[in-house]
Amino acid sequence: MAMMKKGRRLAAPLLLALTLAGCAAPPPQGVRPVSLRFSLDAACGQDITGLAPVPVRLRDARLFVSEVALIDRAGQLVPVTLDQNLWQYQGTALLDFEDATGGCTGTPERNDQITGHAVAGDYRGVRFTIGVPSALNHGPYEKAPAPLDLAAMGWSWQAGRKFIKIELLPQGGVQRPNGTPTSAWNLHLGSSGCAGDPVKGEAVTCAAANRIPVRLDRFNPARDRIHIDLKALFSGTDLTRDGGGAVGCMSGPADPDCPAIFKAMGLRLLPSATGVADAGQPLPQGQRFLTVVRP
Ligand code: CA
């Protein structure tokens, strides 16, 4: 319900879009509304088949997206200036595929699109980041503007936010190494290895950023949608079992359930070599769970 408590809408996207478009030689051809539509192959209260040996239900499915740009015919990135509303603040948007029914525990509202403006053009692709930029990531959620004010997306132990929160309920539960079954397999992605207390005014730095760069070619923003493919994301994972550590994968470098998930997300879980500080950076092959769907 936190999404409903504030009702402001700021109206500066047009000017910002023109500013971001820069001072290139051709005059701006004007800006156009942009709407990016997303979908997920799951809904609250419905059995998901093909994810695990047993039917699986959703408990939560939310993620933050930022640094949105369209890719024009020449391959150039053109920034999208996001509208500012309850789902979007300073270029960061929350996507929400749960509605607090049928075993889901979040908010009744859902959001499956990102809206904004960009200079008119012939666009062939889209580029964005899954994650909250560092400047907005750290700091208490209680006083943050929506959508950064959600306690459920806060990640207090790392002084930041969960970039992805997907929680799944396999029928029969999740077996743990200690023999005590539990209900949900949790994927929580966020920056990890963080130090510094933002409440004391300290800068927060994190060893592993864990932000996912996404580039999708052959994408027409006027027609296509971006699909979040849970089967691809969990293809290397048995959701009926937890290997240890947090139940599921909460971005822990030593969690035996994280390597498969991080590979699907296109992120390095561990440094490539001793002394190399590249944990949490993108893998060359990229992510494999977001795809373009054409009508
Ligand atoms: Ca685990």
Side-chain angles (χ1 to χ4, degrees):
M1 295 303 284
M3 298 304 302
M4 298 299 287
K5 73 183 184 185
K6 296 169 189 168
R8 81 215 181 292
R9 175 182 279 268
L10 304 182
L14 187 70
L15 181 61
L16 189 55
L18 288 167
T19 305
L20 289 171
C23 305
Q29 299 168 11
V31 297
R32 297 283 186 273
V34 173
S35 176
L36 300 176
R37 289 168 298 137
F38 290 75
S39 60
L40 178 80
D41 49 350
C44 296
Q46 296 179 10
D47 284 341
I48 315 164
T49 55
L51 260 190
V54 295
V56 173
R57 290 198 171 194
L58 205 60
R59 185 165 78 177
D60 208 329
R62 289 181 269 188
L63 62 156
F64 282 108
V65 171
S66 57
E67 300 176 320
V68 180
L70 297 173
I71 304 169
D72 70 14
R73 194 173 186 168
Q76 298 296 311
L77 295 179
V78 176
V80 177
T81 302
L82 301 195
D83 298 334
Q84 201 133 287
N85 56 41
L86 291 175
W87 297 103
Q88 304 184 161
Y89 178 75
Q90 289 190 0
T92 294
L94 177 69
L95 297 172
D96 181 343
F97 295 96
E98 65 78 37
D99 60 7
T101 66
C104 290
T105 54
T107 58
E109 302 83 14
R110 295 172 79 258
N111 181 47
D112 62 1
Q113 66 174 348
I114 294 174
T115 61
H117 291 78
V119 174
D122 180 9
Y123 294 115
R124 306 296 177 93
V126 65
R127 162 74 175 79
F128 55 89
T129 297
I130 296 177
V132 178
S134 185
L136 293 177
N137 190 29
H138 306 293
Y141 62 84
E142 296 94 334
K143 295 177 183 173
L148 299 165
D149 59 342
L150 288 170
M153 296 303 284
W155 220 27
S156 55
W157 71 287
Q158 295 288 355
R161 280 162 181 88
K162 301 177 188 83
F163 301 159
I164 297 178
K165 183 183 188 186
I166 295 176
E167 299 184 350
L168 298 167
L169 303 164
Q171 196 176 85
V174 179
Q175 299 300 315
R176 305 201 69 194
N178 64 10
T180 308
T182 189
S183 59
W185 204 104
N186 308 298
L187 167 56
H188 294 177
L189 177 71
S191 294
S192 65
C194 301
D197 185 348
V199 177
K200 295 178 183 169
E202 298 171 3
V204 178
T205 56
C206 302
N210 287 337
R211 294 183 183 87
I212 306 173
V214 179
R215 181 188 171 113
L216 299 170
D217 293 313
R218 297 190 301 282
F219 172 79
N220 179 344
R223 181 192 65 195
D224 303 334
R225 63 188 159 87
I226 300 158
H227 185 62
I228 301 165
D229 183 347
L230 293 181
K231 292 183 179 68
L233 182 57
F234 294 103
S235 64
T237 296
D238 181 351
L239 293 167
T240 66
R241 297 187 179 281
D242 175 67
V247 183
C249 168
M250 299 189 184
S251 309
D255 192 308
D257 302 294
C258 282
I261 293 289
F262 268 61
K263 188 176 178 187
M265 295 191 296
L267 291 175
R268 281 188 198 284
L269 178 63
L270 299 170
S272 57
T274 304
V276 179
D278 58 0
Q281 295 300 309
L283 289 164
Q285 63 266 35
Q287 63 79 29
R288 66 176 187 218
F289 70 104
L290 291 161
T291 58
V292 174
V293 173
R294 298 176 185 88

